[in-house]
Amino acid sequence: MTYVMSDIHGCFREYCEMLGKLAFSDSDTPYIVGDVVDRGPQGQEGVEGVTYFTISDIHGYLDALQTALEPIDLSEDSRLILLGDYIDYGPDSGGVLRYIRDLQRRYGPERVIALRGNHEDAFLEWLDTYGGSEAGQPDEYGLVPWSDWLDHDPGFGTFRTLIAPEQWAFFQKILPTLSEDSRNMEAARMVMAADPELAEWLRGLPYFYETEGQIFVHAGIDEESGDWWPWVTPEYTFTGQFPPETGQFYKDIIAGHVGTSGLAGDPAYHGVFWDGQSHYYIDGSVQRSGRLNLLAWEEERGYHQWDNGWKAVAASGPRRSRGDEGGEEA
């Protein structure tokens, strides 16, 4: 008999459990098809006594990030989980990326966990499209790949924070002479020259972090698949799910991506949104509110948010049934 397994994605424990259920004979042939690494359950099965701190959708606001981190002690008994969307909108996207990377280097990636958001995905797609040796060349179908990330960067506000001042001065000088493709290629090459490790660091960021009782993710997961979600959730759902899910799930889901004011039905509200069941959304629209939400969880105290002191999280605004639209994508 022939057995075929595919898309193990680093899930070695689950792979072994599956093999244990099969009674192989000498004539049986097991095959593994593609994707043995990456995308497996990331995180740990809960660490007793650990406090999990969570921030999302920083969007280039380095000062707001540093302020949000002030109540945190990144000791051995705490973890900081950042849910993505570190760039765009704010004045210092490059500073935010470098700051988070430095935090990981200082405390270790097991204590400072940075996830990917849709804005990082869009940036990497642009960088891959225009930064490689084949940029501007048609693909196997005769089409020239393109990305509009730079076109959605008003005044090159994010781009200029990712390069050196002398590069920015040169780019401004030559900009009037560049075609659209040349402008993108020159910008992408400048970003890679300014910080060759940045793109690889971003590509290495996981899509989710899982504990015994929680799933931390930028946007959402495929909840319809139950406990198979790590294997069947598409990457675009991890970073771009919309509308947001609410309702009951077998683990708590902590996410950003959608502004909590829309979820709560209150334009003035930018705190943590809890649907009263299994979903916690923490994107406080920093570009409008000027602040980032800081959510904390520990086993004895449950969920708390920082608001000039730690306060228990209460159910927020109108409850929505699963699949109802709410919030605004970031």
Side-chain angles (χ1 to χ4, degrees), residues 47-53 73-79 111 297-298:
V47 180
E48 186 176 354
V50 167
T51 301
Y52 295 93
F53 298 103
D73 175 18
L74 284 175
S75 66
E76 294 181 0
D77 295 330
S78 63
R79 303 285 186 273
R111 283 163 59 189
W297 180 88
E298 57 183 358

Side-chain angles (χ1 to χ4, degrees), residues 200-221:
E200 291 309 306
W201 175 71
L202 284 173
R203 288 190 185 94
L205 299 184
Y207 283 101
F208 63 87
Y209 183 82
E210 185 180 16
T211 71
E212 187 174 3
Q214 294 122 334
I215 300 162
F216 297 86
V217 65
H218 178 66
I221 64 169

